[in-house]
């Protein structure tokens, strides 16, 4: 059985994070909005939980029947609130004067609006929040205090404002692709200009956000805090409508171009590699750079059915850390310390690794108590975003 010593690889990660040569980016998925700092932390449900809650809240029989039919069309494995919205918007564009899934054009539009309003309600935790209770705020503190030549780039699939709240709490200037004051508009040419605001943190909301709306009169995406504006979600917006696809395509291009840079490192957390479009961009971009790499932190004990296992086994630039095992340099193995840590080092070790309890051994037919046997196995805990942030903060204390 191949084993990986977590101490060795965490030291390597620390070296990467403090290196002035490395360009560091994070891809932060839905799991990061579930992470808590304390009992007062506000969280956003996972996509699965959000999907279930919204589907259960639909009371109109025609709408319920339509959703069930569309679920059958999509398939259980791929069905979620985003794929549902994608299907509905496609049907809305194609329906004309006929009906689909028992709904006419107005019925489909009404269902889309109902779902988006429910999403807005669920993810709008910012209305009742204290920034200091959020783990995202502590993450922003690390960004502010880390002395780096290149700014941190944050890519997120989350719609909420938790990262914005954290950055602004610590007075960190950041650029998110919008320009202007009265009705800030999305500016695609600046998104992929790496020389624009080269010292500022970047926040790229790949799947859209609260506060984003499509301005029909000017045919552009704007940002507004008005409650009357729509929640704009990608990839539910149709790709072939040029003015609407602009943010999504531009932000995906930024992700690709970030990875293609020399010495770029993308760290994923709270992301389960369930988005085929993002995955394709990541894996394709890795092939275009000799010195870039991706480190994926999976919130799973082992890989189970996650397809990322086989991909990592064939791509040396992709390392995947689960809690009990990892794929590093195309080699799958369990986490196991090579030597028992000293009492002094155990304090540092506990920031990223939770050792298993010693095993009890005893000799058969002997009347002596069992002895403890150190195993060296355990769980890597920084796959949890809250633990990752505490680990990052320990580097700048």
């Amino acid at each position: 059985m191949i084993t990986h010593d977590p101490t060795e690889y965490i030291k390597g990660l620390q070296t990467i994070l403090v290196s002035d040569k490395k360009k560091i980016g994070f891809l932060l998925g839905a799991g990061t909005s579930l992470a808590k700092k304390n009992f007062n932390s506000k969280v956003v449900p996972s996509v699965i939980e959000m999907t279930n809650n919204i589907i259960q809240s639909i009371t109109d029989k025609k709408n319920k029947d339509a959703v069930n039919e569309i679920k059958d069309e999509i398939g259980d494995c791929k069905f979620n609130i985003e794929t549902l919205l994608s299907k509905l918007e496609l049907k809305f564009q194609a329906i004309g004067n006929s009906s689909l899934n028992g709904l006419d054009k107005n019925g489909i539009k009404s269902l889309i609006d109902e779902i988006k309003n429910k999403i807005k309600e669920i993810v709008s935790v910012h209305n009742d929040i204290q920034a200091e209770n959020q783990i995202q705020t502590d993450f922003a503190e690390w960004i502010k205090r880390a002395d780096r030549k290149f700014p941190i780039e944050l890519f997120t699939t989350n719609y909420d404002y938790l990262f914005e709240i954290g950055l602004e709490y610590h007075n960190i200037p950041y650029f998110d692709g919008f320009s202007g004051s009265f009705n800030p508009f999305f500016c695609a040419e600046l998104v992929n200009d790496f020389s624009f605001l080269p010292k500022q943190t970047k926040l790229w909301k790949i799947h859209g956000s609260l506060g984003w709306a499509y301005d029909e009169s000017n045919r552009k995406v704007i940002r507004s805090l008005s409650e009357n504006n729509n929640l704009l979600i990608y990839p539910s917006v149709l790709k072939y409508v040029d003015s609407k696809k602009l943010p999504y395509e531009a932000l995906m291009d930024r992700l690709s171009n970030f990875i293609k840079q020399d010495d770029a490192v993308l760290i994923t957390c709270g992301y389960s590699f369930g988005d085929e479009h993002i995955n394709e961009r990541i894996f394709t971009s890795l092939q275009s750079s000799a010195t870039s790499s991706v480190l994926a932190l999976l919130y799973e004990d082992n890989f189970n059915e996650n397809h990322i296992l086989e991909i990592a086994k064939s791509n040396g630039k992709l390392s995947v850390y689960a809690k009990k095992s990892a794929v590093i340099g195309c080699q799958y193995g369990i986490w196991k310390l090579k030597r028992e840590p000293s009492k002094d080092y155990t304090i540092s070790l506990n920031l990223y690794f939770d050792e298993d309890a010693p095993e009890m051994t005893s000799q058969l037919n002997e009347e002596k108590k069992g002895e403890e046997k150190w195993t060296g196995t355990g769980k890597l805990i920084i796959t949890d975003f809250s633990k990752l942030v505490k680990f990052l903060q320990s580097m700048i204390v």
Side-chain angles (χ1 to χ4, degrees):
M1 167 72 74
I2 294 174
T3 62
H4 299 302
D5 186 346
T7 303
E8 294 180 6
Y9 293 103
I10 292 301
K11 286 180 179 178
L13 175 59
Q14 289 173 322
T15 301
I16 288 171
L17 290 170
V18 300
S19 172
D20 270 347
K21 294 181 180 180
K22 298 295 184 181
K23 303 174 182 72
I24 306 298
F26 288 85
L27 173 57
L28 304 165
T32 61
S33 288
L34 279 167
K36 285 188 172 186
K37 177 181 177 179
N38 56 45
F39 289 113
N40 294 317
S41 299
K42 300 294 183 181
V43 299
V44 175
S46 67
V47 173
I48 294 174
E49 183 180 349
M50 190 186 304
T51 300
N52 291 336
N53 290 344
I54 292 174
I55 299 308
Q56 290 175 10
S57 72
I58 297 173
T59 56
D60 182 83
K61 186 179 185 305
K62 289 180 68 174
N63 286 346
K64 271 187 172 294
D65 291 344
V67 168
N68 288 332
E69 288 181 13
I70 295 172
K71 182 177 181 179
D72 290 339
E73 295 171 13
I74 295 171
D76 286 342
C77 293
K78 294 184 178 181
F79 181 78
N80 60 48
I81 208 64
E82 287 186 354
T83 56
L84 173 59
L85 281 172
S86 294
K87 275 284 188 181
L88 285 169
E89 300 224 34
L90 283 169
K91 291 173 185 291
F92 179 74
Q93 293 295 322
I95 192 170
N97 294 321
S98 61
S99 65
L100 292 170
N101 303 108
L103 300 176
D104 60 14
K105 191 164 189 172
N106 289 334
I108 291 178
K109 179 65 166 61
S110 176
L111 181 55
I112 291 172
D113 290 343
E114 180 181 354
I115 291 172
K116 287 189 175 181
N117 286 333
K118 290 291 184 182
I119 294 175
K120 284 173 62 178
E121 181 181 327
I122 291 171
V123 303
S124 293
V125 294
H126 60 279
N127 292 324
D128 180 28
I129 201 169
Q130 291 183 316
E132 60 270 25
N133 288 326
Q134 297 300 126
I135 196 66
Q136 295 81 4
T137 303
D138 288 356
F139 181 55
E141 182 186 22
W142 171 76
I143 291 174
K144 182 176 184 177
R145 295 177 62 186
D147 185 17
R148 300 196 49 78
K149 179 180 178 181
F150 300 103
I152 300 293
E153 300 218 9
L154 308 179
F155 300 86
T156 181
T157 58
N158 302 342
Y159 317 133
D160 56 68
Y161 289 136
L162 294 178
F163 287 113
E164 289 95 327
I165 289 170
L167 293 168
E168 292 169 23
Y169 180 83
H170 287 291
N171 300 314
I172 302 172
Y174 65 95
F175 178 60
D176 63 356
F178 287 82
S179 180
S181 178
F182 178 62
N183 272 326
F185 59 93
F186 188 82
C187 196
E189 57 267 28
L190 295 181
V191 170
N192 279 294
D193 181 357
F194 281 82
S195 65
F196 183 70
L197 301 174
K199 298 296 183 180
Q200 279 196 12
T201 299
K202 307 299 189 301
L203 176 62
W204 310 120
K205 305 190 80 170
I206 300 176
H207 278 187
S209 178
L210 284 170
W212 290 17
Y214 182 67
D215 186 341
E216 294 284 355
S217 59
N218 294 312
R219 296 182 63 78
K220 60 185 179 184
V221 174
I222 62 172
R223 185 183 61 208
S224 172
L225 294 180
S226 169
E227 293 298 325
N228 295 324
N229 282 304
N230 291 329
L231 166 72
L232 200 55
I233 298 176
Y234 292 93
S236 67
V237 173
L238 301 177
K239 304 294 192 301
Y240 58 80
V241 181
D242 290 341
S243 54
K244 285 191 176 183
K245 77 176 182 181
L246 189 59
Y248 179 72
E249 291 296 332
L251 295 173
M252 292 290 275
D253 286 345
R254 178 74 181 208
L255 176 63
S256 297
N257 293 331
F258 173 83
I259 297 171
K260 290 176 183 178
Q261 295 179 105
D262 291 336
D263 294 312
V265 179
L266 181 71
I267 300 169
T268 77
C269 189
Y271 177 68
S272 60
F273 286 85
D275 188 307
E276 295 176 2
H277 299 98
I278 293 177
N279 296 348
E280 182 182 2
R281 292 291 187 122
I282 291 174
F283 304 143
T284 301
S285 300
L286 272 178
Q287 298 173 1
S288 302
S289 173
T291 56
S292 62
S293 61
V294 173
L295 169 59
L297 303 174
L298 284 188
Y299 190 74
E300 301 175 11
D301 280 352
N302 292 294
F303 291 86
N304 300 324
E305 301 297 322
N306 200 310
H307 60 287
I308 194 66
L309 172 63
E310 296 305 320
I311 296 172
K313 282 183 176 180
S314 61
N315 191 333
K317 298 178 185 177
L318 172 63
S319 298
V320 186
Y321 296 0
K323 290 181 182 179
K324 288 191 172 183
S325 57
V327 178
I328 304 171
C330 301
Q331 297 292 313
Y332 171 81
I334 63 168
W335 292 117
K336 185 174 183 179
L337 298 166
K338 288 183 177 178
R339 58 189 63 86
E340 190 170 0
S342 65
K343 289 184 179 179
D344 290 339
Y345 186 72
T346 297
I347 297 173
S348 297
L349 179 70
N350 289 342
L351 286 168
Y352 60 86
F353 193 67
D354 183 17
E355 288 187 82
D356 289 338
E359 293 180 350
M360 299 300 295
T361 62
S362 60
Q363 295 182 7
L364 202 62
N365 298 324
E366 287 192 11
E367 294 183 358
K368 74 174 193 177
K369 294 181 179 179
E371 297 177 350
E372 290 187 347
K373 178 185 177 183
W374 179 76
T375 65
T377 57
K379 288 185 179 182
L380 191 75
I381 60 176
I382 62 169
T383 60
D384 179 329
F385 184 63
S386 61
K387 299 293 195 302
L388 173 64
V389 172
K390 290 178 182 178
F391 167 75
L392 293 173
Q393 287 188 308
S394 73
M395 296 172 57
I396 56 175
V397 172

